[in-house]
Amino acid sequence: MTRRSQKEIPTSKDPQLVERMSQSSISSPSFGRVETNICKKSGSTDVPVPFHGCHDCFECRVKNSKIREHAKSFLHFITSNPTVFHAVDSVANRLKSNGFVQLFERDSWTDKLSRGGKYFFDRNGSSVIAFAVGDKYVPGNGASVIASHIDALTTRVKPISTLSTKAGYVQLGVAPYAGALNSTWWDRDLGIGGRVLVRDGKTGKIEKKLVKLGWPIARIPTLAPHFGAAADLSNPNKETQMVPIIGLDSSNSDEDSANEHENAGVLGGAGTFTATQPPRLVKAIASEMNIQDYSTIVNWELELFDTQPAQLGGLEHEFIFAGRVDDKLCSYAAIEALIASCCESSESESDSSIIKLVGCFDDEEIGSLLRQGAHSNLLPSTLERICETFAEGRCGANVVSQMYANSFLISADVSHAVNPNFLGAYLENHSPRLNTGVAIQADPNGHTTTDSVSTAFLQCVADKCNAKLQVFQIRNDSRSGGTVGPMLSSAMGMRAIDAGLPQLSMHSIRATIGSLDPGLGVQLFKGFFDHFEEVDAEFR
């Protein structure tokens, strides 16, 4: 972006500017007051735009661009897709609508890929990879890769979730996924959704379908402080004290309750999956999916989630308050950046000689060791299949290793934003702020992939796309978290950096980010795809 001189800044008398501002106030959420403010950096006072009003400083450039438009679509993405299955399905539909062709791992790709093509596929319905092949791609050329994770802390329904009624309450057997069922899960309105396997009555084939109920069905109640020591919830027993209630028993006595439980056991027929689940839950799920024969429900993977919608917050809508931010935020930004780079860039894809790829992985929060996780063969096998397709039988170890050496990976996972109430917990000069930009994550003990070369590489990208970088490193007396970066870069020998958008309240059921942050992520990640070849040439 070319910096504009002071005399080129349009004034409020500019009819085109006035019209643009009028339209933006109608078509997008208000991100600040539209008024004349004094820019702290340039001193400009003549531009009626949100915040402080000029085109010469970083803050004004981003706040007056389409970067802020991503807030609204991110809010919709988070609220509409409460489970990992819904999120991946939403990504798939977004890719399809932008011309990406769906592939299937069980098929051969050799006759399906072409230079200039855009593709995606999923594994297990909970991980998704999307990529575009440059028109001038030849085997051995590199790939610009962004890897994130799309799973989030949640609470999953146990295989046999029916529990005995206690004190007239119907409860649900659940188990925490990663660090869920922490203190932030008390007294929340919890919905339920996920994936259901249904056998088609005509074909006999098993189909995978998604479901989510439109109202909260569960709650994990606290004990009032009036009960003294018993109400101390600092270290609750997750098996006995954090069991959600999902209804009231309609029977009048313990004997009636036992009889109802016994009769409910045959729902769907003895020996069926539904016979092991709470009858009213089965009926609610079946009703939502228009299933009349309960026995056709073969199995399901359901989870509880906070039903409060993602929303703008702050006096001038500076914040986004949402659940499941870690790490649907970087996944969203990476996918949108790939779409923008392939479908919206002024530069033609015919000028590209690389592979542009985004991987959104499941199971990062529990170690990534499952087949849909980043520690599996999912990413390397994808790149090798692409290479083999265009190598015409010559894609051996030499070409594959050359491809990896020419590639670069951004391991995109959320970072910690500075918390004003706990400044002492942060390392000086390493405390990212909201609405500022992606933060590079450094760690001297190998928990991240960042080094001087990869930092310089990403800084060059940021300079070319007018993005701003921050840096985060944990204090010596604290523990650093892990990412998918080290496992992926070590498996393939790919240059890599860890960099993600900052958030407050990581691993809480509700988190806080900046309302500009989704768009700032898209800006940098798109710049990475657009300028990779140019920057890479400087490091050869």
Side-chain angles (χ1 to χ4, degrees):
M1 180 183 295
T2 303
R3 293 172 63 89
R4 303 178 66 177
S5 66
Q6 181 70 24
K7 65 181 181 180
E8 292 176 315
I9 299 174
T11 69
S12 58
K13 297 178 182 179
D14 184 338
Q16 292 182 341
L17 175 62
V18 173
E19 170 135 5
R20 287 199 304 271
M21 291 307 304
S22 174
Q23 290 175 345
S24 67
S25 66
I26 297 173
S27 61
S28 61
S30 172
F31 286 82
R33 298 186 303 273
V34 179
E35 61 183 13
T36 299
N37 286 329
I38 299 176
C39 175
K40 298 174 183 177
K41 294 190 178 181
S42 71
S44 170
T45 61
D46 58 355
V47 184
V49 293
F51 301 91
H52 54 266
C54 78
H55 293 271
D56 279 349
C57 68
F58 171 82
E59 288 84 355
C60 289
R61 286 205 310 272
V62 300
K63 290 167 185 174
N64 289 290
S65 73
K66 63 181 180 181
I67 286 174
R68 61 192 181 125
E69 297 173 6
H70 281 283
K72 185 175 182 180
S73 57
F74 179 72
L75 291 173
H76 177 75
F77 174 70
I78 283 289
T79 302
S80 301
N81 302 291
T83 77
V84 66
F85 301 111
H86 287 88
V88 168
D89 183 65
S90 175
V91 169
N93 289 329
R94 176 83 173 122
L95 292 166
K96 285 180 185 177
S97 67
N98 281 275
F100 284 72
V101 177
Q102 185 170 12
L103 301 171
F104 299 92
E105 280 195 283
R106 299 178 75 168
D107 296 340
S108 172
W109 291 1
T110 53
D111 60 345
K112 292 181 171 60
L113 304 186
S114 61
R115 290 178 175 86
K118 301 174 295 185
Y119 308 93
F120 78 95
F121 70 97
D122 73 82
R123 179 179 285 185
N124 187 48
S126 59
S127 291
V128 59
I129 286 184
F131 61 91
V133 182
D135 214 38
K136 297 180 180 179
Y137 171 76
V138 295
N141 284 8
S144 53
V145 180
I146 301 177
S148 186
H149 71 91
I150 200 165
D151 62 317
L153 270 63
T154 188
T155 299
R156 293 186 171 170
V157 174
K158 289 180 177 178
I160 300 176
S161 61
T162 300
L163 298 176
S164 299
T165 299
K166 294 180 181 177
Y169 289 100
V170 180
Q171 295 181 282
L172 184 67
V174 298
Y177 173 84
L181 285 186
N182 56 43
S183 60
T184 64
W185 282 71
W186 293 108
D187 296 328
R188 301 297 302 186
D189 299 340
L190 302 176
I192 193 167
R195 179 170 68 181
V196 180
L197 275 61
V198 181
R199 187 181 298 278
D200 187 284
K202 296 180 180 179
T203 66
K205 291 186 176 182
I206 296 176
E207 301 175 347
K208 303 167 187 173
K209 299 183 177 181
L210 302 185
V211 66
K212 57 181 178 181
L213 300 185
W215 71 96
I217 63 109
R219 195 173 180 90
I220 304 173
T222 54
L223 187 63
H226 309 74
F227 288 90
D232 180 6
L233 305 177
S234 58
N235 188 30
N237 186 313
K238 294 184 179 181
E239 182 63 33
T240 62
Q241 295 177 313
M242 298 196 76
V243 185
I245 56 174
I246 60 172
L248 292 172
D249 191 346
S250 58
S251 61
N252 295 319
S253 67
D254 290 340
E255 182 178 355
D256 290 340
S257 177
N259 292 334
E260 181 184 10
H261 178 73
E262 182 178 353
N263 294 332
V266 297
L267 188 65
T272 62
F273 170 77
T274 51
T276 66
Q277 308 301 317
R280 276 182 268 178
L281 176 61
V282 172
K283 292 178 181 178
I285 295 294
S287 176
E288 184 70 19
M289 302 179 68
N290 295 316
I291 295 174
Q292 283 75 43
D293 183 357
Y294 302 134
S295 67
T296 60
I297 299 178
V298 176
N299 212 311
W300 61 34
E301 293 171 82
L302 301 180
E303 58 188 63
L304 301 182
F305 54 85
D306 178 35
T307 59
Q308 184 176 352
Q311 56 192 3
L312 292 170
L315 291 176
E316 294 188 338
H317 294 165
E318 303 98 327
F319 304 127
I320 289 176
F321 304 141
R324 304 173 293 279
V325 166
D326 179 9
D327 193 10
K328 290 176 174 60
L329 174 58
C330 289
S331 293
Y332 167 88
I335 289 294
E336 290 299 317
L338 180 64
I339 292 172
S341 180
C342 296
C343 306
E344 301 172 11
S345 294
S346 58
E347 293 293 327
S348 172
E349 197 63 22
S350 62
D351 294 331
S352 175
S353 61
I354 61 167
I355 301 166
K356 300 176 182 180
L357 185 146
V358 169
C360 301
F361 295 94
D362 192 9
D363 300 325
E364 188 274 344
E365 295 291 358
I366 56 172
S368 300
L369 292 174
L370 301 181
R371 73 183 188 93
Q372 58 269 18
H375 213 306
S376 70
N377 71 334
L378 184 50
L379 179 54
S381 68
T382 300
L383 290 169
E384 290 167 18
R385 292 182 77 169
I386 298 170
C387 182
E388 180 187 277
T389 297
F390 298 101
E392 299 177 354
R394 297 179 286 105
C395 189
N398 183 50
V399 178
V400 170
S401 296
Q402 181 188 16
M403 173 182 63
Y404 289 150
N406 284 324
S407 300
F408 192 99
L409 165 72
I410 296 179
S411 169
D413 202 350
V414 288
S415 184
H416 298 282
V418 63
N419 187 321
N421 298 326
F422 300 92
L423 292 179
Y426 293 82
L427 185 63
E428 187 178 3
N429 300 320
H430 298 77
S431 306
R433 298 190 177 194
L434 303 179
N435 284 341
T436 301
V438 170
I440 294 173
Q441 300 165 30
D443 184 273
N445 296 300
H447 293 108
T448 67
T449 61
T450 303
D451 58 26
S452 60
V453 174
S454 60
T455 300
F457 191 105
L458 193 60
Q459 185 62 61
C460 289
V461 169
D463 291 343
K464 291 183 181 300
C465 65
N466 293 310
K468 191 171 184 177
L469 293 178
Q470 307 185 81
V471 62
F472 174 82
Q473 183 168 310
I474 202 80
R475 285 168 51 103
N476 293 341
D477 52 4
S478 300
R479 181 180 63 87
S480 178
T483 72
V484 300
M487 65 186 72
L488 288 173
S489 62
S490 62
M492 297 177 289
M494 194 179 289
R495 294 167 295 168
I497 190 170
D498 274 271
L501 292 157
Q503 71 160 92
L504 289 169
S505 308
M506 189 179 296
H507 287 190
S508 171
I509 200 169
R510 298 282 290 182
T512 300
I513 62 173
S515 56
L516 295 176
D517 285 328
L520 291 172
V522 175
Q523 178 192 29
L524 179 68
F525 295 158
K526 179 180 181 295
F528 172 63
F529 289 130
D530 289 347
H531 301 291
F532 172 78
E533 293 176 87
E534 182 183 357
V535 173
D536 187 44
E538 301 176 20
F539 286 81
R540 291 191 67 86

